[in-house]
Amino acid sequence: MQTKALAPEYQGALTKLSVNASLTDVLSEGVRQLRQAELSGSTEEVARAGLAVAEAHRRLGQVEEADRAWKASYRAARSAGATGAMAWALWSGGTLARQRGALRLAFRLLGLAAELGRRGGDVVARGYSLAGLAETGRIQGDYGTVATLHEQLLAEARARGEARHTVWALEGIAQIHRNTGQLDSALEMFEEAAVLAGDADDRRGRAWALRGIADIVSLRDGATERALGLLSEAEVTCREMKLSSALAYNHKMRANVLFRAGRYEEARAVYEQALAEFRAMTEPRGEALAALGLVKARARLGRDRAATAAELDELRGRLSRIGLLNAREMVEKAYTQLGVERGRASERGEEPVALTGPAGDLAPTHRPAASPGTGPVAPHEEARAR
């Protein structure tokens, strides 16, 4: 039996906030409660209010503010000796790191968050952190490592009746199936996720599911107008809830649909829009993917082959440095699709981050030199959730 969607990241005095609350409202209320907690001297409540502030900033694309807020939340939680609140702060920081394209840092922070959630007995914090590790691996393109964890988390979410996490896991598995060519099963999962999200009043989850459905029906069936209609429906939610990242990814998918339909001039304009949105929120994965679409649209509109090749070379190097395996494969295919030769761009980049651990306890193989308890985590040198 699936419950109504809840937002466990809204804690303490903020538990009354709905999962569908506008992020600007969450930020306003979070800042108000944070000030009250500071005046009362409750460091644990400071940590919990600060978590909501960090998440609102992150989802609004305000990455520097989000970075300061999650670190402040962690310090307050550590001061209060609140292990569960420490885990939540690290989860927020790890999710932000993934959003910014700092995948190694994301694995590190989310691994620590999962361990603290286990130690503190916070099952939900541990589950969200494991889900974060799974999503980071999926975004990287390391499907073989994280597919089993996605399946396990889906089973656990179904068993507990956690609608929001069930929707997340279904969408994650659907994306893996889509990227590995299993379009029929991907569509079934995205459609199930959309129904579950609608029944649970999870508007964010439904918006992501509609985007997934639009992708498949465009790619598999050539159903351009249906896909555009689904994306328009999802865009309403993104705008009403101020979901900046989801809106940018919605626009990128709209451009993909237009490109597949041969409407290259329209696709070019929407890719440019999405690219500007990703740059505004410092989300390098989305920026690179939108840039790749823009290169392809310009090439179809007659752009010089040498300029196209140079842009693909630059993107290939950028995606290698971030460590995005699937996205780099997309660039490799683009050389052939566009009939251009690869240049001698630098091959140097990050090696894929190896993950290990027993099923259900995915964790980074490397450990940080010091715990976050020794001080704020330095921001990653690279400039991305969903």
Side-chain angles (χ1 to χ4, degrees):
M1 183 67 176
Q2 299 296 315
T3 61
K4 289 295 182 182
L6 301 174
E9 66 271 34
Y10 302 153
Q11 302 174 5
L14 295 163
T15 54
K16 63 181 181 293
L17 287 175
S18 164
V19 68
N20 296 320
S22 163
L23 292 176
T24 51
D25 291 344
V26 172
L27 181 58
S28 176
E29 182 63 13
V31 168
R32 190 177 74 82
Q33 292 295 341
L34 178 58
R35 288 172 180 163
Q36 289 189 5
E38 290 170 342
L39 290 173
S40 73
S42 172
T43 50
E44 185 168 356
E45 188 59 27
V46 167
R48 298 198 180 281
L51 173 66
V53 171
E55 281 301 285
H57 278 308
R58 180 182 69 79
R59 291 165 177 165
L60 287 165
Q62 299 163 358
V63 294
E64 297 303 326
E65 294 89 339
D67 192 52
R68 289 192 293 268
W70 84 258
K71 289 174 181 174
S73 175
Y74 179 85
R75 289 193 293 268
R78 184 184 61 192
S79 177
T83 305
M86 290 166 65
W88 277 108
L90 288 170
W91 165 77
S92 180
T95 306
L96 176 66
R98 181 177 68 237
Q99 181 171 319
R100 299 174 80 170
L103 300 188
R104 290 185 179 274
L105 180 59
F107 281 125
R108 171 191 170 187
L109 295 178
L110 290 165
L112 290 170
E115 174 59 21
L116 284 177
R118 184 192 65 79
R119 272 197 262 157
D122 193 322
V123 175
V124 179
R126 182 175 182 275
Y128 267 58
S129 300
L130 288 174
L133 285 166
E135 185 160 345
T136 305
R138 175 171 55 78
I139 285 169
Q140 185 186 36
D142 190 8
Y143 305 136
T145 302
V146 300
T148 299
L149 183 55
H150 273 79
E151 295 282 0
Q152 178 185 322
L153 292 169
L154 173 60
E156 292 178 0
R158 287 194 193 277
R160 289 197 295 264
E162 294 176 353
R164 190 180 180 202
H165 243 206
T166 300
V167 168
W168 166 84
L170 280 168
E171 292 173 352
I173 297 168
Q175 194 63 49
I176 291 174
H177 283 212
R178 181 259 186 252
N179 288 351
T180 53
Q182 303 170 69
L183 300 185
D184 293 345
S185 58
L187 181 58
E188 289 175 5
M189 290 182 186
F190 277 130
E191 289 176 336
E192 182 182 354
V195 171
L196 284 175
D199 290 345
D201 195 26
D202 176 6
R203 297 184 66 202
R204 181 188 293 116
R206 180 169 168 78
W208 281 103
L210 293 177
R211 177 183 175 275
I213 295 170
D215 183 26
I216 303 298
V217 300
S218 164
L219 181 63
R220 188 190 69 172
D221 307 330
T224 302
E225 294 310 317
R226 183 187 174 201
L228 294 175
L230 291 166
L231 291 168
S232 293
E233 181 182 345
E235 181 168 348
V236 171
T237 295
C238 294
R239 291 190 180 281
E240 288 180 352
M241 294 181 64
K242 305 295 191 292
L243 303 175
S244 303
S245 180
L247 181 61
Y249 276 100
N250 179 291
H251 289 155
K252 187 190 73 68
M253 183 56 68
R254 177 175 290 273
N256 288 355
V257 170
L258 292 167
F259 181 89
R260 290 170 190 156
R263 294 158 62 172
Y264 301 127
E265 186 58 47
E266 292 174 80
R268 180 199 59 76
V270 184
Y271 278 130
E272 287 178 343
Q273 178 184 3
L275 181 59
E277 291 168 339
F278 285 124
R279 283 177 173 164
M281 65 184 77
T282 317
E283 188 158 348
R285 174 178 175 264
E287 181 181 340
L289 292 174
L292 174 58
L294 183 57
V295 170
K296 291 166 67 175
R298 286 172 172 168
R300 295 301 189 203
L301 290 168
R303 186 170 177 79
D304 177 78
R305 285 174 179 264
T308 297
E311 289 177 336
L312 289 177
D313 291 343
E314 189 277 329
L315 276 171
R316 185 171 180 270
R318 195 193 318 175
L319 290 166
S320 294
R321 288 190 294 274
I322 297 173
L324 296 171
L325 311 181
N326 182 62
R328 176 172 156 156
E329 289 176 6
M330 293 168 62
V331 176
E332 297 286 1
K333 291 177 182 177
Y335 286 105
T336 302
Q337 292 169 348
L338 301 177
V340 299
E341 293 185 7
R342 185 191 311 163
R344 295 186 177 181
S346 171
E347 295 289 331
R348 185 168 58 87
E350 280 195 356
E351 290 298 315
V353 182
L355 303 179
T356 188
D361 196 17
L362 192 67
T365 55
H366 61 288
R367 305 302 297 175
S371 161
T374 61
V377 178
H380 198 277
E381 290 185 358
E382 295 170 355
R384 165 192 163 300
R386 187 180 145 184

